[in-house]
Short mmCIF file of all heavy atoms in Angstrom, two decimals:
data_model
loop_
_atom_site.label_atom_id
_atom_site.label_comp_id
_atom_site.label_asym_id
_atom_site.label_seq_id
_atom_site.Cartn_x
_atom_site.Cartn_y
_atom_site.Cartn_z
N MET A 1 87.54 118.61 151.89
CA MET A 1 88.07 119.81 152.56
C MET A 1 88.70 120.72 151.53
O MET A 1 89.46 120.27 150.68
CB MET A 1 89.13 119.44 153.58
CG MET A 1 88.65 118.57 154.71
SD MET A 1 87.81 119.48 156.00
CE MET A 1 89.19 119.90 157.07
N ASN A 2 88.41 121.99 151.62
CA ASN A 2 89.07 123.00 150.80
C ASN A 2 89.93 123.88 151.68
O ASN A 2 89.63 124.06 152.85
CB ASN A 2 88.04 123.88 150.10
CG ASN A 2 87.40 123.19 148.91
OD1 ASN A 2 88.09 122.62 148.07
ND2 ASN A 2 86.08 123.22 148.86
N LYS A 3 90.96 124.43 151.06
CA LYS A 3 91.79 125.39 151.76
C LYS A 3 91.22 126.78 151.50
O LYS A 3 90.91 127.12 150.36
CB LYS A 3 93.22 125.30 151.23
CG LYS A 3 94.23 126.03 152.08
CD LYS A 3 95.62 125.81 151.51
CE LYS A 3 96.66 126.44 152.41
NZ LYS A 3 98.00 126.28 151.83
N TYR A 4 91.08 127.55 152.57
CA TYR A 4 90.47 128.86 152.47
C TYR A 4 91.47 129.96 152.82
O TYR A 4 92.34 129.76 153.67
CB TYR A 4 89.27 128.98 153.42
CG TYR A 4 88.08 128.15 152.96
CD1 TYR A 4 87.99 126.81 153.32
CD2 TYR A 4 87.09 128.72 152.19
CE1 TYR A 4 86.93 126.04 152.90
CE2 TYR A 4 86.02 127.96 151.76
CZ TYR A 4 85.93 126.63 152.11
OH TYR A 4 84.89 125.86 151.69
N ILE A 5 91.29 131.08 152.17
CA ILE A 5 92.10 132.26 152.46
C ILE A 5 91.13 133.45 152.66
O ILE A 5 89.96 133.39 152.28
CB ILE A 5 93.12 132.59 151.36
CG1 ILE A 5 92.43 132.83 150.00
CG2 ILE A 5 94.16 131.47 151.21
CD1 ILE A 5 92.19 134.27 149.64
N ILE A 6 91.63 134.50 153.28
CA ILE A 6 90.80 135.72 153.43
C ILE A 6 91.60 136.91 152.91
O ILE A 6 92.83 136.95 153.02
CB ILE A 6 90.37 135.90 154.89
CG1 ILE A 6 89.32 137.03 155.01
CG2 ILE A 6 91.55 136.14 155.83
CD1 ILE A 6 88.57 137.03 156.35
N ASN A 7 90.86 137.85 152.34
CA ASN A 7 91.46 139.07 151.83
C ASN A 7 91.82 139.99 153.01
O ASN A 7 90.98 140.25 153.86
CB ASN A 7 90.47 139.78 150.91
CG ASN A 7 91.11 140.86 150.06
OD1 ASN A 7 92.13 141.43 150.43
ND2 ASN A 7 90.53 141.11 148.92
N ARG A 8 93.05 140.41 153.08
CA ARG A 8 93.49 141.37 154.08
C ARG A 8 92.73 142.69 153.98
O ARG A 8 92.48 143.36 154.97
CB ARG A 8 94.96 141.72 153.82
CG ARG A 8 95.95 141.15 154.73
CD ARG A 8 97.32 141.66 154.35
NE ARG A 8 98.25 140.52 154.13
CZ ARG A 8 98.82 139.89 155.13
NH1 ARG A 8 98.63 140.23 156.36
NH2 ARG A 8 99.62 138.88 154.87
N ASN A 9 92.44 143.09 152.74
CA ASN A 9 91.73 144.35 152.51
C ASN A 9 90.22 144.14 152.60
O ASN A 9 89.72 143.10 152.19
CB ASN A 9 92.04 144.88 151.11
CG ASN A 9 93.47 145.28 150.95
OD1 ASN A 9 94.15 145.57 151.93
ND2 ASN A 9 93.96 145.23 149.73
N LYS A 10 89.53 145.14 153.10
CA LYS A 10 88.07 145.07 153.09
C LYS A 10 87.55 145.50 151.73
O LYS A 10 88.15 146.35 151.07
CB LYS A 10 87.51 146.00 154.18
CG LYS A 10 87.80 145.52 155.58
CD LYS A 10 87.15 146.45 156.57
CE LYS A 10 87.35 146.13 158.04
NZ LYS A 10 88.04 144.98 158.47
N ASP A 11 86.41 144.90 151.32
CA ASP A 11 85.82 145.32 150.06
C ASP A 11 85.03 146.62 150.27
O ASP A 11 85.02 147.18 151.38
CB ASP A 11 84.94 144.20 149.46
CG ASP A 11 83.70 143.91 150.31
OD1 ASP A 11 83.38 144.70 151.22
OD2 ASP A 11 83.07 142.88 150.05
N ASN A 12 84.33 147.09 149.24
CA ASN A 12 83.67 148.39 149.36
C ASN A 12 82.45 148.37 150.30
O ASN A 12 81.88 149.40 150.59
CB ASN A 12 83.30 148.94 147.97
CG ASN A 12 82.44 147.97 147.18
OD1 ASN A 12 81.94 147.00 147.73
ND2 ASN A 12 82.26 148.24 145.89
N LYS A 13 82.09 147.19 150.80
CA LYS A 13 81.04 147.10 151.81
C LYS A 13 81.61 146.90 153.22
O LYS A 13 80.87 146.69 154.16
CB LYS A 13 80.07 145.97 151.46
CG LYS A 13 79.23 146.26 150.24
CD LYS A 13 78.47 144.99 149.82
CE LYS A 13 77.78 145.23 148.48
NZ LYS A 13 77.56 143.94 147.79
N GLY A 14 82.93 146.89 153.31
CA GLY A 14 83.55 146.73 154.62
C GLY A 14 83.78 145.31 155.05
O GLY A 14 84.09 145.04 156.21
N TYR A 15 83.68 144.37 154.10
CA TYR A 15 83.88 142.96 154.42
C TYR A 15 85.27 142.49 153.97
O TYR A 15 85.77 142.92 152.93
CB TYR A 15 82.86 142.07 153.71
CG TYR A 15 81.45 142.22 154.19
CD1 TYR A 15 80.49 142.82 153.40
CD2 TYR A 15 81.09 141.76 155.45
CE1 TYR A 15 79.19 142.95 153.85
CE2 TYR A 15 79.79 141.89 155.91
CZ TYR A 15 78.83 142.49 155.10
OH TYR A 15 77.56 142.62 155.55
N ASN A 16 85.83 141.57 154.75
CA ASN A 16 86.97 140.79 154.29
C ASN A 16 86.41 139.54 153.62
O ASN A 16 85.77 138.73 154.29
CB ASN A 16 87.86 140.38 155.45
CG ASN A 16 88.49 141.56 156.16
OD1 ASN A 16 87.96 142.03 157.16
ND2 ASN A 16 89.60 142.03 155.68
N GLU A 17 86.68 139.38 152.35
CA GLU A 17 86.08 138.25 151.64
C GLU A 17 86.89 136.98 151.81
O GLU A 17 88.11 136.97 151.67
CB GLU A 17 85.99 138.57 150.14
CG GLU A 17 84.82 139.46 149.81
CD GLU A 17 84.28 139.21 148.42
OE1 GLU A 17 85.08 139.15 147.48
OE2 GLU A 17 83.04 139.06 148.30
N VAL A 18 86.17 135.89 152.06
CA VAL A 18 86.77 134.56 152.18
C VAL A 18 86.65 133.85 150.84
O VAL A 18 85.61 133.92 150.18
CB VAL A 18 86.04 133.76 153.28
CG1 VAL A 18 86.50 132.31 153.32
CG2 VAL A 18 86.25 134.42 154.64
N HIS A 19 87.75 133.19 150.41
CA HIS A 19 87.80 132.45 149.16
C HIS A 19 88.43 131.09 149.36
O HIS A 19 89.24 130.90 150.27
CB HIS A 19 88.68 133.17 148.11
CG HIS A 19 88.23 134.54 147.75
ND1 HIS A 19 87.42 134.81 146.67
CD2 HIS A 19 88.49 135.73 148.33
CE1 HIS A 19 87.22 136.13 146.60
NE2 HIS A 19 87.85 136.69 147.60
N ILE A 20 88.10 130.16 148.45
CA ILE A 20 88.92 128.96 148.38
C ILE A 20 90.14 129.28 147.48
O ILE A 20 90.09 130.22 146.68
CB ILE A 20 88.14 127.73 147.81
CG1 ILE A 20 87.61 127.98 146.41
CG2 ILE A 20 87.02 127.36 148.76
CD1 ILE A 20 86.98 126.75 145.78
N THR A 21 91.19 128.51 147.65
CA THR A 21 92.45 128.88 146.99
C THR A 21 92.35 128.74 145.47
O THR A 21 93.18 129.32 144.77
CB THR A 21 93.63 128.05 147.51
OG1 THR A 21 93.26 126.67 147.47
CG2 THR A 21 93.97 128.44 148.94
N SER A 22 91.37 128.02 144.95
CA SER A 22 91.24 127.88 143.49
C SER A 22 90.31 128.93 142.89
O SER A 22 90.08 128.89 141.66
CB SER A 22 90.75 126.47 143.16
OG SER A 22 89.50 126.25 143.77
N CYS A 23 89.79 129.83 143.68
CA CYS A 23 88.85 130.84 143.14
C CYS A 23 89.57 131.79 142.19
O CYS A 23 90.62 132.35 142.53
CB CYS A 23 88.22 131.62 144.29
SG CYS A 23 87.12 132.93 143.70
N PRO A 24 89.00 132.05 141.00
CA PRO A 24 89.63 133.01 140.08
C PRO A 24 89.54 134.46 140.57
O PRO A 24 90.23 135.33 140.06
CB PRO A 24 88.85 132.83 138.79
CG PRO A 24 87.57 132.24 139.18
CD PRO A 24 87.81 131.41 140.43
N PHE A 25 88.70 134.72 141.56
CA PHE A 25 88.49 136.09 142.05
C PHE A 25 89.18 136.34 143.38
O PHE A 25 88.94 137.35 144.03
CB PHE A 25 86.99 136.37 142.18
CG PHE A 25 86.28 136.24 140.87
CD1 PHE A 25 85.58 135.10 140.55
CD2 PHE A 25 86.36 137.26 139.92
CE1 PHE A 25 84.94 134.97 139.32
CE2 PHE A 25 85.73 137.15 138.70
CZ PHE A 25 85.02 136.00 138.40
N LYS A 26 90.06 135.41 143.78
CA LYS A 26 90.77 135.62 145.05
C LYS A 26 91.73 136.80 144.91
O LYS A 26 92.15 137.16 143.81
CB LYS A 26 91.50 134.34 145.46
CG LYS A 26 92.69 134.04 144.58
CD LYS A 26 93.34 132.72 144.95
CE LYS A 26 94.48 132.45 143.99
NZ LYS A 26 95.08 131.15 144.14
N PRO A 27 92.09 137.41 146.06
CA PRO A 27 93.01 138.55 146.00
C PRO A 27 94.43 138.13 145.63
O PRO A 27 94.78 136.94 145.66
CB PRO A 27 92.97 139.11 147.43
CG PRO A 27 92.53 137.95 148.28
CD PRO A 27 91.63 137.12 147.41
N GLU A 28 95.25 139.12 145.29
CA GLU A 28 96.67 138.88 145.05
C GLU A 28 97.28 138.23 146.28
O GLU A 28 96.82 138.47 147.41
CB GLU A 28 97.39 140.20 144.78
CG GLU A 28 96.93 140.95 143.55
CD GLU A 28 97.28 140.22 142.26
OE1 GLU A 28 98.22 139.43 142.26
OE2 GLU A 28 96.60 140.46 141.27
N SER A 29 98.34 137.47 146.09
CA SER A 29 98.88 136.68 147.19
C SER A 29 99.33 137.54 148.37
O SER A 29 99.20 137.13 149.52
CB SER A 29 100.02 135.76 146.73
OG SER A 29 100.96 136.51 146.03
N TYR A 30 99.85 138.76 148.10
CA TYR A 30 100.25 139.63 149.20
C TYR A 30 99.06 140.15 150.00
O TYR A 30 99.24 140.69 151.09
CB TYR A 30 101.16 140.78 148.71
CG TYR A 30 100.48 141.70 147.72
CD1 TYR A 30 99.68 142.74 148.15
CD2 TYR A 30 100.69 141.54 146.34
CE1 TYR A 30 99.05 143.58 147.23
CE2 TYR A 30 100.07 142.38 145.43
CZ TYR A 30 99.26 143.39 145.87
OH TYR A 30 98.65 144.23 144.97
N ASN A 31 97.86 140.01 149.46
CA ASN A 31 96.67 140.44 150.19
C ASN A 31 95.92 139.27 150.84
O ASN A 31 94.83 139.45 151.36
CB ASN A 31 95.71 141.16 149.26
CG ASN A 31 95.98 142.65 149.22
OD1 ASN A 31 96.50 143.20 150.20
ND2 ASN A 31 95.67 143.29 148.13
N GLN A 32 96.50 138.06 150.78
CA GLN A 32 95.84 136.91 151.33
C GLN A 32 96.37 136.54 152.72
O GLN A 32 97.56 136.65 152.96
CB GLN A 32 96.08 135.67 150.47
CG GLN A 32 95.53 135.76 149.09
CD GLN A 32 95.89 134.52 148.28
OE1 GLN A 32 96.31 133.50 148.83
NE2 GLN A 32 95.76 134.63 146.98
N VAL A 33 95.46 136.10 153.57
CA VAL A 33 95.85 135.48 154.83
C VAL A 33 95.26 134.08 154.82
O VAL A 33 94.07 133.89 154.51
CB VAL A 33 95.31 136.24 156.05
CG1 VAL A 33 95.74 135.57 157.35
CG2 VAL A 33 95.77 137.70 156.02
N GLU A 34 96.08 133.07 155.08
CA GLU A 34 95.60 131.70 155.10
C GLU A 34 94.71 131.43 156.32
O GLU A 34 95.10 131.75 157.44
CB GLU A 34 96.79 130.74 155.17
CG GLU A 34 97.21 130.26 153.82
CD GLU A 34 98.25 129.15 153.94
OE1 GLU A 34 98.12 128.31 154.86
OE2 GLU A 34 99.17 129.15 153.13
N LEU A 35 93.55 130.85 156.06
CA LEU A 35 92.69 130.45 157.18
C LEU A 35 92.88 128.98 157.52
O LEU A 35 92.68 128.57 158.65
CB LEU A 35 91.22 130.70 156.81
CG LEU A 35 90.81 132.16 156.65
CD1 LEU A 35 89.39 132.25 156.13
CD2 LEU A 35 90.95 132.92 157.95
N GLY A 36 93.20 128.18 156.52
CA GLY A 36 93.38 126.74 156.73
C GLY A 36 92.32 125.95 156.01
O GLY A 36 91.63 126.47 155.13
N TYR A 37 92.19 124.67 156.39
CA TYR A 37 91.29 123.75 155.70
C TYR A 37 89.97 123.63 156.48
O TYR A 37 89.98 123.43 157.70
CB TYR A 37 91.92 122.37 155.59
CG TYR A 37 93.04 122.33 154.59
CD1 TYR A 37 94.34 122.65 154.97
CD2 TYR A 37 92.80 121.99 153.28
CE1 TYR A 37 95.38 122.62 154.07
CE2 TYR A 37 93.82 121.96 152.35
CZ TYR A 37 95.10 122.28 152.74
OH TYR A 37 96.12 122.26 151.82
N PHE A 38 88.89 123.76 155.75
CA PHE A 38 87.55 123.63 156.34
C PHE A 38 86.68 122.81 155.41
O PHE A 38 86.90 122.78 154.22
CB PHE A 38 86.92 125.00 156.57
CG PHE A 38 87.71 125.86 157.53
CD1 PHE A 38 88.68 126.74 157.05
CD2 PHE A 38 87.53 125.73 158.89
CE1 PHE A 38 89.44 127.49 157.94
CE2 PHE A 38 88.31 126.48 159.78
CZ PHE A 38 89.25 127.36 159.30
N SER A 39 85.64 122.18 155.99
CA SER A 39 84.76 121.34 155.17
C SER A 39 83.81 122.18 154.34
O SER A 39 83.29 121.72 153.33
CB SER A 39 84.02 120.34 156.05
OG SER A 39 83.42 121.00 157.14
N ASN A 40 83.53 123.41 154.77
CA ASN A 40 82.68 124.28 153.97
C ASN A 40 82.96 125.74 154.29
O ASN A 40 83.65 126.06 155.26
CB ASN A 40 81.20 123.93 154.15
CG ASN A 40 80.77 124.10 155.60
OD1 ASN A 40 80.85 125.19 156.16
ND2 ASN A 40 80.38 123.01 156.23
N ALA A 41 82.39 126.62 153.47
CA ALA A 41 82.67 128.05 153.58
C ALA A 41 82.09 128.64 154.87
O ALA A 41 82.66 129.59 155.41
CB ALA A 41 82.08 128.78 152.37
N ILE A 42 80.99 128.08 155.33
CA ILE A 42 80.38 128.61 156.56
C ILE A 42 81.35 128.44 157.74
O ILE A 42 81.51 129.36 158.55
CB ILE A 42 79.03 127.92 156.79
CG1 ILE A 42 78.05 128.38 155.69
CG2 ILE A 42 78.47 128.24 158.19
CD1 ILE A 42 76.76 127.60 155.62
N GLU A 43 81.99 127.27 157.79
CA GLU A 43 82.99 127.04 158.85
C GLU A 43 84.18 127.99 158.71
O GLU A 43 84.71 128.48 159.69
CB GLU A 43 83.48 125.59 158.79
CG GLU A 43 82.43 124.56 159.18
CD GLU A 43 81.92 124.75 160.59
OE1 GLU A 43 82.77 124.93 161.50
OE2 GLU A 43 80.70 124.74 160.80
N ALA A 44 84.61 128.21 157.47
CA ALA A 44 85.75 129.09 157.22
C ALA A 44 85.42 130.53 157.63
O ALA A 44 86.25 131.20 158.27
CB ALA A 44 86.14 129.03 155.75
N VAL A 45 84.21 131.00 157.31
CA VAL A 45 83.81 132.36 157.68
C VAL A 45 83.69 132.49 159.19
O VAL A 45 84.12 133.48 159.78
CB VAL A 45 82.50 132.75 156.97
CG1 VAL A 45 81.88 134.01 157.56
CG2 VAL A 45 82.74 132.94 155.48
N LYS A 46 83.15 131.46 159.83
CA LYS A 46 83.03 131.46 161.29
C LYS A 46 84.40 131.58 161.94
O LYS A 46 84.60 132.37 162.86
CB LYS A 46 82.36 130.15 161.72
CG LYS A 46 81.74 130.20 163.11
CD LYS A 46 81.26 128.84 163.57
CE LYS A 46 80.03 128.36 162.82
NZ LYS A 46 79.63 126.99 163.28
N HIS A 47 85.36 130.83 161.42
CA HIS A 47 86.72 130.86 161.93
C HIS A 47 87.33 132.26 161.73
O HIS A 47 87.96 132.81 162.66
CB HIS A 47 87.57 129.80 161.24
CG HIS A 47 88.99 129.78 161.70
ND1 HIS A 47 89.37 129.23 162.90
CD2 HIS A 47 90.12 130.28 161.13
CE1 HIS A 47 90.68 129.38 163.04
NE2 HIS A 47 91.16 130.02 161.99
N ALA A 48 87.12 132.84 160.55
CA ALA A 48 87.67 134.17 160.28
C ALA A 48 87.10 135.21 161.24
O ALA A 48 87.81 136.11 161.67
CB ALA A 48 87.41 134.54 158.83
N LYS A 49 85.83 135.07 161.56
CA LYS A 49 85.20 136.01 162.50
C LYS A 49 85.81 135.90 163.89
O LYS A 49 86.00 136.91 164.57
CB LYS A 49 83.69 135.77 162.55
CG LYS A 49 83.00 136.34 161.32
CD LYS A 49 81.49 136.14 161.36
CE LYS A 49 80.85 136.83 160.18
NZ LYS A 49 79.46 136.41 159.98
N LEU A 50 86.14 134.67 164.29
CA LEU A 50 86.80 134.47 165.57
C LEU A 50 88.18 135.14 165.60
O LEU A 50 88.63 135.58 166.65
CB LEU A 50 86.98 132.96 165.86
CG LEU A 50 85.73 132.18 166.24
CD1 LEU A 50 86.04 130.70 166.40
CD2 LEU A 50 85.12 132.71 167.53
N LEU A 51 88.79 135.23 164.43
CA LEU A 51 90.10 135.89 164.33
C LEU A 51 89.94 137.42 164.30
O LEU A 51 90.94 138.14 164.30
CB LEU A 51 90.84 135.44 163.07
CG LEU A 51 91.25 133.97 163.00
CD1 LEU A 51 91.89 133.68 161.67
CD2 LEU A 51 92.19 133.62 164.15
N GLY A 52 88.70 137.91 164.23
CA GLY A 52 88.47 139.35 164.28
C GLY A 52 88.17 139.99 162.95
O GLY A 52 88.02 141.21 162.87
N TYR A 53 88.07 139.19 161.90
CA TYR A 53 87.75 139.76 160.58
C TYR A 53 86.25 139.97 160.44
O TYR A 53 85.45 139.22 161.02
CB TYR A 53 88.20 138.81 159.46
CG TYR A 53 89.68 138.70 159.31
CD1 TYR A 53 90.35 137.59 159.80
CD2 TYR A 53 90.40 139.71 158.68
CE1 TYR A 53 91.73 137.46 159.66
CE2 TYR A 53 91.76 139.61 158.54
CZ TYR A 53 92.42 138.49 159.03
OH TYR A 53 93.77 138.39 158.88
N ASN A 54 85.88 141.00 159.68
CA ASN A 54 84.49 141.20 159.30
C ASN A 54 84.26 140.34 158.05
O ASN A 54 84.15 140.85 156.93
CB ASN A 54 84.23 142.68 159.04
CG ASN A 54 82.75 142.96 158.86
OD1 ASN A 54 81.89 142.22 159.30
ND2 ASN A 54 82.46 144.07 158.20
N ALA A 55 84.22 139.04 158.24
CA ALA A 55 84.31 138.09 157.15
C ALA A 55 82.98 137.85 156.45
O ALA A 55 81.92 137.81 157.08
CB ALA A 55 84.85 136.77 157.66
N ASP A 56 83.05 137.65 155.13
CA ASP A 56 81.90 137.28 154.34
C ASP A 56 82.39 136.39 153.19
O ASP A 56 83.48 136.58 152.67
CB ASP A 56 81.20 138.53 153.78
CG ASP A 56 79.88 138.19 153.12
OD1 ASP A 56 79.10 137.40 153.70
OD2 ASP A 56 79.60 138.70 152.04
N GLY A 57 81.58 135.42 152.82
CA GLY A 57 81.99 134.50 151.75
C GLY A 57 81.96 135.16 150.39
O GLY A 57 81.12 136.02 150.12
N CYS A 58 82.87 134.76 149.54
CA CYS A 58 82.91 135.22 148.15
C CYS A 58 81.62 134.79 147.44
O CYS A 58 81.14 133.68 147.60
CB CYS A 58 84.13 134.62 147.47
SG CYS A 58 84.18 134.79 145.68
N PHE A 59 81.09 135.69 146.61
CA PHE A 59 79.87 135.39 145.85
C PHE A 59 80.05 134.18 144.94
O PHE A 59 79.12 133.42 144.70
CB PHE A 59 79.50 136.64 145.03
CG PHE A 59 78.27 136.44 144.16
CD1 PHE A 59 77.00 136.49 144.70
CD2 PHE A 59 78.43 136.18 142.80
CE1 PHE A 59 75.90 136.29 143.90
CE2 PHE A 59 77.32 135.99 141.99
CZ PHE A 59 76.04 136.05 142.55
N TYR A 60 81.26 134.00 144.40
CA TYR A 60 81.49 132.95 143.42
C TYR A 60 81.87 131.59 144.03
O TYR A 60 81.34 130.57 143.65
CB TYR A 60 82.58 133.40 142.42
CG TYR A 60 82.15 134.65 141.69
CD1 TYR A 60 82.53 135.90 142.13
CD2 TYR A 60 81.33 134.56 140.57
CE1 TYR A 60 82.12 137.06 141.48
CE2 TYR A 60 80.89 135.70 139.92
CZ TYR A 60 81.31 136.93 140.36
OH TYR A 60 80.87 138.06 139.73
N CYS A 61 82.79 131.62 144.98
CA CYS A 61 83.31 130.34 145.49
C CYS A 61 82.77 129.96 146.84
O CYS A 61 82.94 128.83 147.27
CB CYS A 61 84.84 130.35 145.47
SG CYS A 61 85.57 131.46 146.71
N CYS A 62 82.17 130.90 147.56
CA CYS A 62 81.68 130.61 148.93
C CYS A 62 80.23 131.06 149.05
O CYS A 62 79.83 131.69 150.01
CB CYS A 62 82.53 131.33 149.98
SG CYS A 62 84.24 130.81 150.01
N LYS A 63 79.46 130.72 148.02
CA LYS A 63 78.10 131.25 147.93
C LYS A 63 77.25 130.94 149.16
O LYS A 63 76.43 131.78 149.56
CB LYS A 63 77.44 130.67 146.68
CG LYS A 63 76.32 131.55 146.20
CD LYS A 63 75.97 131.35 144.75
CE LYS A 63 74.96 132.44 144.41
NZ LYS A 63 74.72 132.66 143.05
N GLU A 64 77.43 129.79 149.74
CA GLU A 64 76.61 129.42 150.91
C GLU A 64 76.89 130.29 152.12
O GLU A 64 76.12 130.35 153.06
CB GLU A 64 76.77 127.93 151.26
CG GLU A 64 78.12 127.53 151.87
CD GLU A 64 79.15 127.13 150.83
OE1 GLU A 64 79.16 127.69 149.70
OE2 GLU A 64 79.98 126.27 151.17
N ALA A 65 78.05 131.00 152.08
CA ALA A 65 78.40 131.90 153.20
C ALA A 65 78.38 133.36 152.77
O ALA A 65 78.83 134.21 153.51
CB ALA A 65 79.78 131.52 153.73
N HIS A 66 77.84 133.63 151.58
CA HIS A 66 77.84 135.00 151.07
C HIS A 66 76.59 135.74 151.57
O HIS A 66 75.48 135.27 151.33
CB HIS A 66 77.86 134.99 149.54
CG HIS A 66 77.75 136.36 148.95
ND1 HIS A 66 78.78 137.27 148.98
CD2 HIS A 66 76.70 137.00 148.35
CE1 HIS A 66 78.39 138.39 148.38
NE2 HIS A 66 77.13 138.24 148.01
N LYS A 67 76.81 136.84 152.26
CA LYS A 67 75.67 137.64 152.75
C LYS A 67 75.70 139.03 152.15
O LYS A 67 74.67 139.60 151.83
CB LYS A 67 75.67 137.73 154.27
CG LYS A 67 75.47 136.39 154.93
CD LYS A 67 75.07 136.56 156.40
CE LYS A 67 74.86 135.23 157.09
NZ LYS A 67 76.15 134.56 157.36
N GLY A 68 76.90 139.63 152.06
CA GLY A 68 77.03 141.02 151.62
C GLY A 68 76.90 141.09 150.11
O GLY A 68 76.88 142.14 149.53
ZN1 ZN B 1 86.09 133.51 145.64
#
């Protein structure tokens, strides 16, 4: 299980990017919202969408959930 966070800010494509907490490309802490622990990025992105985010996985740490 990894702990996932989501960027409060949308990227230039309008997505809130989901990251694991060890990702070097995660947003500054004041721009992070904790999603919690998930077994994979697809589950984390699904959860973020339920919360109302336009979520997409980070290209580097959540590649299996990266679409944008
Ligand atoms: Zn990342």
Side-chain angles (χ1 to χ4, degrees):
M1 298 279 271
N2 283 312
K3 193 177 185 182
Y4 290 86
I5 59 98
I6 189 164
N7 195 333
R8 255 182 234 281
N9 294 336
K10 291 183 180 358
D11 67 12
N12 56 12
K13 291 171 188 155
Y15 292 111
N16 296 95
E17 282 210 312
V18 173
H19 300 265
I20 60 173
T21 51
S22 59
C23 177
F25 300 100
K26 70 184 177 187
E28 297 293 336
S29 52
Y30 61 83
N31 271 332
Q32 296 176 16
V33 180
E34 265 189 38
L35 293 174
Y37 288 87
F38 298 93
S39 49
N40 61 60
I42 292 168
E43 292 299 314
V45 167
K46 199 188 289 178
H47 179 77
K49 284 181 175 166
L50 287 176
L51 296 176
Y53 291 103
N54 189 23
D56 189 44
C58 168
F59 178 78
Y60 300 95
C61 69
C62 297
K63 203 158 187 166
E64 71 270 33
H66 176 73
K67 295 197 181 73

